[in-house]
Amino acid sequence: MKQQQRKNRVRALAVGALAVTGALALTACGSDDTSGGGGAASAAKTGNIKCEGKGKLLASGSSAQKNAMDAWVQAYSGACKDTEINYQPTGSGAGITTFLQGQTAFAGSDSALKPEEVEKSKKICKGGQAINLPMVGGPIAVGYNVPGVDSLVLDAPTLAKIFDSEITKWNDEAIKKLNPEAKLPDLKIQAFHRSDDSGTTDNFTKYLKGAAPGAWKHEPGKTWEGKGGQAASGSAGVSSQVKQTSGAISYFELSYATAGKIDTVKLNTGAKAPVEATVDNASKAISEAKQVGQGNDLALKLNYTTKAEDAYPITLVTYEIACDKGNKAETLPATKSFLTYISSKDGQNALKELGYAPLPTEIADKVRSTVSSLS
């Protein structure tokens, strides 16, 4: 009963966050109307926000962090009437491109910058370069729509073969072996992947490559390389397809599953019991991450092959990408103010209620210190 109540609460909060998206895109932060999206508002406290800067702050990128960003923007808007935050969930690849063109104050990406992207950033970060600031953690859920099957266990090799069109029916022997008590139908698998360049795709394929290198022969990346399947744009697009398509399966951030009431796969990782996609289970996996960035670059390397009990290994960390030095003078105060809030304890505490995993304390402390040093 408690588990169901928790799921219902997270679902309601995620729906509330989704409901305010359109309003946030059109309404300036000076609006006094905070009645819409009460779930998002209740998740984010505003008491410790220090407002700096005025005008419009443009940002774009990761759609995986969209629900978190909706809640953060609404909370910040309520406290800082003179600043409008406009975040567009265009996908990680598009967000990085726009940032490197100097069109946005910061970008959201589910993958750390590549060396060539860091080099290119020096053209817009005068005297500095772009750095990766971990901000949002959480599980990449594998959602499915199989009539009569409300509990499904898969492992990495089977997932790899499903998404590479080598397993095409839900009653395949490999799936039966992992689910001996399930009534699996003779139904075609409809595998959906992202059509846009996506950090979620990058992390999902890193998991497939790391945990099942013999089954997944493609290199990880933001662009989908698997064979066959169907494509849709953004986490909202692929989750919507799963919701409405019998036999469908795809990957997306957990809050899209909770908001859409989509069943999610439990993973056979080699632990004693299959692991469910939950915030707490993702946190256990993220706690094993190692910092691989140098200095103020806080890029992390995740452990996709953990066999620890209750550790869900298909995780991602979304980075906010900003210049360490050379930020535009007209947007720097608001950028630091907003990033300070979302990395704060209040900002991070809002995440769990929305289906995300707050940053481990050690990482969060480094992020806060780095944000304060932006110039």
Side-chain angles (χ1 to χ4, degrees):
M1 179 62 72
K2 289 183 179 179
Q3 178 73 3
Q4 185 61 45
Q5 288 174 341
R6 184 191 68 80
K7 287 185 177 180
N8 289 340
R9 185 164 179 258
V10 171
R11 188 174 293 138
L13 286 164
V15 171
L18 287 166
V20 300
T21 307
L24 288 171
L26 299 173
T27 305
C29 290
S31 171
D32 292 327
D33 181 11
T34 58
S35 59
S42 68
K45 296 180 180 179
T46 62
N48 295 321
I49 295 176
K50 183 179 180 181
C51 303
E52 299 285 352
K54 296 182 179 180
K56 181 180 290 187
L57 191 67
L58 300 178
S60 65
S62 165
S63 64
Q65 70 169 356
K66 173 184 175 297
N67 295 339
M69 192 62 71
D70 285 348
W72 283 334
V73 169
Q74 188 179 17
Y76 189 87
S77 301
C80 304
K81 307 295 186 181
D82 296 327
T83 306
E84 177 183 354
I85 310 292
N86 189 326
Y87 180 84
Q88 296 298 319
T90 54
S92 298
I96 289 173
T97 296
T98 304
F99 174 78
L100 293 177
Q101 292 172 346
Q103 298 179 29
T104 52
F106 66 90
S109 176
D110 305 320
S111 297
L113 292 168
K114 297 178 180 178
E116 58 267 28
E117 293 170 334
V118 173
E119 187 63 31
K120 188 174 181 180
S121 75
K122 295 177 181 179
K123 295 180 180 179
I124 62 162
C125 302
K126 303 300 182 182
Q129 65 181 44
I131 56 173
N132 301 282
L133 299 169
M135 204 67 71
V136 181
I140 301 173
V142 179
Y144 69 95
N145 180 350
V146 182
V149 180
D150 58 8
S151 180
L152 183 68
V153 176
L154 296 174
D155 59 13
T158 306
L159 272 173
K161 291 174 183 177
I162 286 173
F163 280 94
D164 210 23
S165 300
E166 292 185 21
I167 293 177
T168 58
K169 289 289 188 73
W170 279 110
N171 61 349
D172 187 274
E173 289 301 320
I175 302 177
K176 283 183 178 181
K177 186 176 180 180
L178 291 164
N179 300 272
E181 298 181 3
K183 295 181 179 179
L184 297 165
D186 183 13
L187 177 67
K188 182 180 178 181
I189 294 174
Q190 306 280 356
F192 285 89
H193 57 264
R194 292 278 290 271
S195 60
D196 52 320
D197 282 358
S198 160
T200 310
T201 294
D202 191 21
N203 281 278
F204 182 62
T205 53
K206 282 178 179 176
Y207 165 75
L208 295 178
K209 187 68 173 180
W216 188 257
K217 300 176 176 62
H218 312 283
E219 288 303 312
K222 294 185 181 73
T223 302
W224 184 257
E225 299 290 346
K227 299 177 183 177
Q230 303 175 65
S233 179
S235 296
V238 290
S239 61
S240 177
Q241 289 296 329
V242 172
K243 178 73 174 177
Q244 66 190 25
T245 306
S246 180
I249 187 171
S250 190
Y251 55 94
F252 36 81
E253 183 270 324
L254 180 61
S255 68
Y256 289 88
T258 55
K261 300 182 182 179
I262 299 170
D263 290 324
T264 60
V265 168
K266 296 183 180 75
L267 290 179
N268 181 338
T269 63
K272 291 180 181 179
V275 184
E276 185 179 356
T278 69
V279 170
D280 290 338
N281 291 348
S283 292
K284 290 185 179 180
I286 292 172
S287 68
E288 298 183 18
K290 305 297 182 184
Q291 181 180 338
V292 292
Q294 301 297 314
N296 285 336
D297 187 345
L298 303 181
L300 303 173
K301 183 177 181 180
L302 300 171
N303 181 5
Y304 296 105
T305 59
T306 179
K307 291 181 173 62
E309 298 302 319
D310 297 321
Y312 183 84
I314 316 181
T315 60
L316 60 76
V317 170
T318 294
Y319 301 92
E320 311 310 333
I321 293 168
C323 297
D324 60 352
K325 299 178 181 178
N327 289 279
K328 294 179 180 178
E330 61 269 24
T331 58
L332 175 61
T335 298
K336 290 184 68 173
S337 172
F338 183 66
L339 295 181
T340 296
Y341 161 60
I342 68 177
S343 63
S344 71
K345 290 183 179 180
D346 283 346
Q348 287 294 303
N349 285 342
L351 293 178
K352 192 169 183 179
E353 295 185 9
L354 293 169
Y356 299 94
L359 296 173
T361 301
E362 182 180 353
I363 296 174
D365 287 343
K366 290 181 180 180
V367 172
R368 292 164 192 154
S369 175
T370 302
V371 168
S372 70
S373 70
L374 299 181
S375 61

